[in-house]
Amino acid sequence: MASTGCFIIVSKNDIPIYEAEVGSAAKKEEAAHQHQFILHAALDIVQDLAWTTSAMFLKAVDRFNDLVVSVYVTAGHTRLMLLHDSRNEDGIKSFFQEVHELYVKILLNPLYLPGSRITSSHFDTKVRALARKYL
Amino acid sequence: MAPIAPRSGDAVFANVERVNAELFTLTYGAIVRQLLTDLEEVEEVNKQLDQMGYNIGIRLIDEFLAKSNVSRCVDFKETAEVIAKVGFKMFLGVSASVTNWDADGTCCSLILEDNPLVDFVELPDTCQGLYYCNVLSGVIRGALEMVSMKTEVTWVRDMLRGDDAYELKVKLLKQVPEEYPYKDDE
Amino acid sequence: MADPSASYLGKTLIEEISPVVMVLGTPLVEDSSRKNGLSFVDTLRPFSLFHDIDVPVRTASDQPYRLHKFKLRLHYASEIHQPDVEASEEHLKNVVTRASDVDTSDLRSDPPQIDSLLEAAESESLPSWFQIFNKELIHIASFSEHEAFDHPVACLLVVSSKDEQPINKFVELFDTNQLPSLLSDSIMDPKILKHYLLLHDNQDGALETDIKMLTEMRSTFGSNECRLLTINSAEDGSTDWQDNPWIPHKIDASISQDLGCLLNMDDINEMKNFMQDLASKHIIPHMEQKIRVLNQQVSATRKGFRNQIKNLWWRKGKEDAPETSSGQMYAFNSIESQMRVLGDYAFMLRDYELALSNYRLLSTDYKLDKAWKRYAGVQEMMGLAFFMLDQSKKDVEYCMENALSTYLKLGSSGQRNVTRCGLWWTEILKARDQYKEAAGVYFRISNEEPSLQAAVMLEQASYCYLLSKPPMLRKYGFHLVLAGNRYYISEQRKHAIRAYRSATSVYKGNAWSFINDHVHYHIGKWYSFIEIFDVALQHLLEVVACSHQSVATQELFLKDFLQTVQKLGKAFEVFSMQLPVINIPSLKVLFEDQRTYGSVGAVNIKESLWKCLEEDMIPLLPAARTNWLESQPKLSKNLKDSNICVAGEPIRVEIEFRNPLKIPISVSGASLICQLSAEPESVESAVVNQADNNVDGNSSATVFQNDSELIKLKRSWEQDAGSSFVLSEVDFSLGGSETTVIQFVVTPKVEGILNIVGVRWKLSDSVIGYHSFDTTVLKKKTVKGRRRGGQYAKSPLKFTVIKSLPKLECCIHHLPSKAYAGELHRLVLELKNRSKFPIKNMKMKISDPRFLNAGSLDDMKIEFPICLEKRINSKESIVQPNDVEGSNGLLFSFPEDCVIEGETTFTWPLWLHTSTTGRISLYMSIYYEMENSSNDIRYRTLRTQYDLEVLPSLDMSVHVAPCPSRLQEFLVRMDVTNRSSSESFLLHQFSSVGHNWEISSLPPDGAVHPSQMLTAGQALSCFFKLKKCNDLASEGMPSSTTLHGSDVRLGPHDSEKALFDISRAPLANFHSYERLDQGKSIQGSSNVDFILISQLKQNASAASDPPRLFSHHSCHHRQESKSLIHLLVVGYNGVQETFSHEGCIIVLPIVLRNMHDACVIVVIDQAASQVDVRGTALPSNGNVWNPVKNPREITQGTDGHSDICISFSPPYTQTLTNAIWGSSTPGHLQLEDNSMTRSGSRTTTLTPNTYKASRRVIAWFYHPSHGNWKRPNLARKARFVTINNLN
């Protein structure tokens, strides 16, 4: 498992609707905003790349020092972004795919308003489990 | 003598028309969501759902009796069985189980292991206290009222609230007797 | 792409990579030039850049071309070495600080907007000091030995004419041991082009000597290498330059006042000419010449195939040579150095192809030799050459990438070159609009630099992102933040703030909470460092209420915020501060217009409940007017847009406060902000113009979005405080993420229009928060039908204050909070009228009279419970029925004459009877009118509500069974159980209520249940005899109204305890309500009610206080009876008879009683002997009963009883052979419901004997309310009549 990893789901209009620190490293206070900065900046790259390819999994789109940003863009242009320092692309890919399925389930919940924050604890635990499994 | 009542609705379920489950679920979800936005109070929504269910029930019962040729139920116990085994199977495609009867057989619980209404549903914090499936209780109440049983249907357990099953408590309040032409007092 | 040399990089290259002229001068030279405030080099520098020096040049391959723009770099020999690090660092720092002073002047203005930034970027108006900085940065790397273009091409020797022995001076000036290292340790060719200049200072005399000297020089050094230059030929300070040529070259414009004051025009022209032909006549030809020579050598040794092979082989040969990257191995005369020189000279003369070809060869050699630094340098030059030749991007990329990475590999020694190379590369990329890549390169080199340089690099990177198409704003912001950080580290706070501020425009209003917090927090902190506190607070305010941060962070933020506020030194006011959060929809207004509330509980009851309670008590509003014509408009005007409240009476506002943080906060002095004005429209205007004249002179540091709002609030706060109304101040503290409801009170003192505009509070005694209630929110909510029904259709916070009215306050004395079921209490309702004015016709309505109803004044005379006891003469015993029936008895109107004068209290007794167990809540509303009817309100209602809990005590059930022997008597069994937990009860009395019933104990002589005690859990049943006394007096009145019953004292026979009178109020009232309550369905006079009266067993301690009385009622008992008709034949044991005359006549009385509710016709067949009635009289087939029409029956049948009558089969005479039965009554008689009759059956006999008067058949049929005939029933009675003959 990666020592640092920050997973974040960004809604169509660039609002983070789910954030999770999935790194095994102890979470530092200043890490939070640093990760947000990097991921937020990476959105620029994503917006260029997303229209060039039909694949949902755009691999590592951006890097900052030793941190890599991998992105997965759903059909609804919701972006699953992972900031990580590990190198196994397949793991990340399958992680993204499974999280995507979870996310679709959330979307199907009639009581969930699309684009709003994902508060479901069930979703959260599932995601963290997946992170432990794949990253 | 009416034909023997089917003990399970499979036969009936086999030849009723069907609709895509997700369409069904999402439609119901859309209704609930709309109610939530309109009445914006969970209690009101519960009431409204129950009322809608009631209106469904009083119509549905005829359909039910027509399609599934169940015979007259001799007592409330049998009624409950028919609802659980035939009714639920016929309209929801799942069958419930009837348990914990009270002493004088006027109150029992229908337990649904799975419930097609609530696929993908998860109650957010804002909607705690919502009985998402309250329409079901309404349906049962309405249907039974049409066959002259005044009942009170309440939710005991609800998976959406973290319980392990869906439990509907059906309580027979009073059985409106059939009117005979005249009564004798001997 | 345009001509590369026209691009910015092109220009810089022409200036930067240009021949270096080494200047050697005597001190006197310096002195004379110092007079102008300039060094000698500086004096010449303006003329060392030729914009159009038109020199023909020939390439190595003899193509002619002309040079136009050209530059010489003049340096003192002392400057020609690598500048040392600290000095350059210091220099750079100065540059940056100066810049910061220049362009961070506008720190107070709002941060720039994105679009403005964009167009600024389009117009290339980036901070100009970047270029200066970059130049300086490049200069750090200059004069490196591994590249030749910094090596001096020529050497200019200057001697002042005042020097003695100028010739020797010239000689010793150029003496090797003080030459720069480049020449001294033979890195470059020491045989350098020399030029001799004799400087003449016009201020010390004439030229003649100098001319001589010049000729002397010419003779020694050669004719055209020598020259005379005269300066300072102007009079003192005469000349001042309108455009001083030296200003742009002086980086620090400190001493610019008298630059070149002694130089006049022809001095300048002379210098111009001198430099001109120094460049054109000497340097360029020299370089051209040298290029040719070198080129021939190189092509001789290196061009061509075999040279390549030889070269390769040779390099292989010296593979084992000591490998150093410093490249000392290359002496100036080594072929590599010469190639390098060739390349660089060619480059300087813009012969890029030649340069490139040499660089190419050279790079391979260096690579083979692993001379990495030189290799990188060559690669760098190749890249530049490619660029100048406008070759393919790919090559440039490749070369620069090579160079950069190689330099990086070198580590510290290559570090400066890394920066230079990087800067050049970024310039190349920029020139080709590849801003994204440029930014990348900036970022790469920023990692190699100390923080200050890094900061500048990062900021340039961010601008590149901004310029890239499409602009990458997020990257822009991110890099700005990074730059800001670096700036802060290297104590450039203003720069840091500037960077962050421009970053905020990117992050404005996005949901990335951590980012926003970081940016705002740091800006705020830094602003407070440079002591611009208000702006600092403005930013800190953004983060102070962050709920998502960790506890530690929240504490940090709050601490800094408060500290900054203290540093600010004055009251800091915030409009709609988010700490704590105010939940506006939760706002709830409690006020009293005509509705006044007696208790807190009463306020929260639904308005609808009160309305339906009061509906028939309060008059309709127009009805309350004396003359509706004139009072109506006023009323509507006042009521339509505002609620009515009364001066002097408090208005309560409840708002929910939530603490978003996880740490406790303390709020003090929270209170409402109100405006009270005489007439409605003046409110707004007043506040508005206050706002206007306040905006300009607003001294206190208020930071907020909309000034006028806050000022409005502030104003209305300052002006109105205490003047015309009283506000309550609340202090409270909120724990971590806690929510509390705070109640504010405002009490208007004068009439007018009261507006509640907002709330104001102090956060931890330093920050004053304001929040305004915009009623639109509330309106929206209330349209949805929230609290208080339609009352909020009008704005809920606007009140019409009317002049003060009397207001009743009520309290109920000794109302228990806990009681036992059936307990009977006498309460005292006390009404206090605090006002001056009297209060008249009061009415009272009580939600459930079953529990509580009003007594009469004379209940108070005698103390409880004696007042309930029977009295000898009870006149008012009969309760008026309309008390019970009218509006089911809820409405009680006090007597007309009772008026509560001002400042008096008024008491009235109430009776409480807790008839059911459980929690009961009583609603009571008292209506009253005032004497001085103010125009709007003539009446008011006082609403109170009480809860009490009722515990189970006794429960009683009664069974009535008919007495077998007596017709009129019944057996009553009373079962009573004590359900209370601990208490024990004394049974006192058992009474039967109801029309003509009489109860007596059984056995008749009384003592029922001698020990009258009933302890907890004990059950008991007593028996009584219930007798129906048919006194026809009571026939008249309906049974329900009259309540005189009969009582039996329970307990010891001889107890002299008085019985309680159940036929008077309150017992009678309660009883009648109980009747109503316990199934009123059953009608009829024949049912009976029972009342059990008991007392609580007082334990010794509480013996003093009055006994607690209980009454339990059970109603509508009817004596059940199996059969429909009771028949009683009174028989005789014997009859004495002398058969003197014809026969003996015996009359057997028969008592018939109809137990049924309907009229019954009874037929008695006297002589029916042993007919098998069962056999024949079955209803199913009517052949035994054959109907016969008979006129009398038909007439009788008109009242619908019977249209058939029954005649019996002829009498059988088997048994009664010698006796004839006859009847004293008609064969059938008619019984009204529940009535009884007597008939007789007469019989005559002739012989004494024992007769069995038996088998009498009674048939009846009745006509129940709903139609169909019931078949006859049969009853048989047998009596033995023995008639014994006496003789």
Side-chain angles (χ1 to χ4, degrees), chain C residues 340-537:
Chain C
R340 173 76 202 207
V341 171
L342 171 58
D344 286 344
Y345 279 20
F347 195 97
M348 289 191 252
L349 293 187
R350 324 270 160 74
D351 187 354
Y352 298 114
E353 284 86 355
L354 178 58
L356 197 53
S357 61
N358 286 291
Y359 290 144
R360 277 224 183 80
L361 289 169
L362 203 46
S363 67
T364 49
D365 297 354
Y366 285 145
K367 198 167 185 180
L368 287 172
D369 299 353
K370 302 196 178 51
W372 293 121
K373 189 166 183 178
R374 293 167 183 275
Y375 171 72
V378 173
Q379 286 288 340
E380 195 177 352
M381 292 313 287
M382 281 173 72
L384 292 178
F386 273 126
F387 170 75
M388 293 311 275
L389 289 170
D390 194 7
Q391 293 278 347
S392 69
K393 288 190 171 89
K394 201 168 71 13
D395 301 339
V396 181
E397 294 288 319
Y398 177 77
C399 296
M400 296 313 274
E401 177 58 49
N402 258 346
L404 195 57
S405 45
T406 326
Y407 277 135
L408 282 172
K409 268 195 244 129
L410 291 176
S412 63
S413 67
Q415 188 236 350
R416 297 172 172 187
N417 304 81
V418 168
T419 312
R420 186 189 64 189
C421 172
L423 285 174
W424 274 340
W425 191 4
T426 54
E427 287 308 326
I428 292 173
L429 292 169
K430 278 193 198 164
R432 299 180 167 178
D433 288 332
Q434 298 172 289
Y435 285 101
K436 216 168 96 187
E437 294 75 359
V441 177
Y442 272 128
F443 187 76
R444 267 175 79 180
I445 57 181
S446 76
N447 294 336
E448 303 304 316
E449 287 292 322
S451 59
L452 180 60
Q453 284 89 318
V456 184
M457 293 302 140
L458 285 169
E459 189 167 1
Q460 299 188 58
S462 73
Y463 281 111
C464 289
Y465 279 121
L466 187 61
L467 285 167
S468 62
K469 301 264 169 305
M472 308 178 88
L473 293 179
R474 304 190 190 85
K475 286 277 185 189
Y476 167 69
F478 182 37
H479 286 78
L480 273 179
V481 167
L482 291 174
N485 259 326
R486 297 290 175 79
Y487 275 131
Y488 183 68
I489 294 169
S490 51
E491 284 100 22
Q492 295 290 337
R493 290 200 176 122
K494 291 182 173 173
H495 279 297
I497 292 175
R498 188 175 46 78
Y500 267 60
R501 272 159 47 91
S502 19
T504 48
S505 59
V506 177
Y507 296 119
K508 184 176 283 103
N510 76 357
W512 295 67
S513 48
F514 285 102
I515 290 180
N516 286 332
D517 293 345
H518 174 84
V519 173
H520 282 298
Y521 174 64
H522 284 83
I523 295 181
K525 221 168 68 184
W526 296 340
Y527 263 118
S528 65
F529 280 144
I530 63 172
E531 286 163 350
I532 304 177
F533 291 119
D534 47 359
V535 191
L537 286 170

Side-chain angles (χ1 to χ4, degrees), chain C residues 57-65 288 291-292 295 351 354:
Chain C
V57 193
R58 294 185 157 279
T59 61
S61 49
D62 280 352
Q63 269 91 24
Y65 66 100
E288 203 179 346
I291 287 176
R292 249 195 212 84
N295 192 24
D351 187 354
L354 178 58

Side-chain angles (χ1 to χ4, degrees), chain B residues 124-181:
Chain B
D125 303 340
T126 58
C127 305
Q128 295 304 331
L130 172 71
Y131 285 111
Y132 187 80
C133 310
N134 220 21
V135 73
L136 290 185
S137 57
V139 169
I140 295 177
R141 190 164 61 87
L144 286 182
E145 193 159 318
M146 287 298 104
V147 291
S148 72
M149 287 185 231
K150 277 224 163 298
T151 51
E152 175 189 72
V153 187
T154 51
W155 288 95
V156 183
R157 287 186 291 165
D158 187 340
M159 276 189 182
L160 293 182
R161 304 179 163 200
D163 302 328
D164 52 354
Y166 294 93
E167 178 169 353
L168 268 172
K169 189 153 175 294
V170 186
K171 186 170 184 11
L172 179 64
L173 296 179
K174 69 192 257 282
Q175 184 145 18
V176 183
E178 315 279 358
E179 293 294 336
Y180 294 119

Side-chain angles (χ1 to χ4, degrees), chain C residues 629-641:
Chain C
L629 270 177
E630 40 80 21
S631 57
Q632 195 65 5
K634 178 192 300 156
L635 160 76
S636 53
K637 176 180 144 302
N638 283 338
L639 287 186
K640 73 178 189 305
D641 61 345

Side-chain angles (χ1 to χ4, degrees), chain C residues 973-991:
Chain C
R973 189 177 97 243
M974 191 251 321
D975 305 328
V976 55
T977 321
N978 181 351
R979 297 229 176 273
S980 75
S981 56
S982 61
E983 302 294 336
S984 59
F985 295 88
L986 298 174
L987 304 184
H988 186 278
Q989 137 182 15
F990 185 69
S991 322

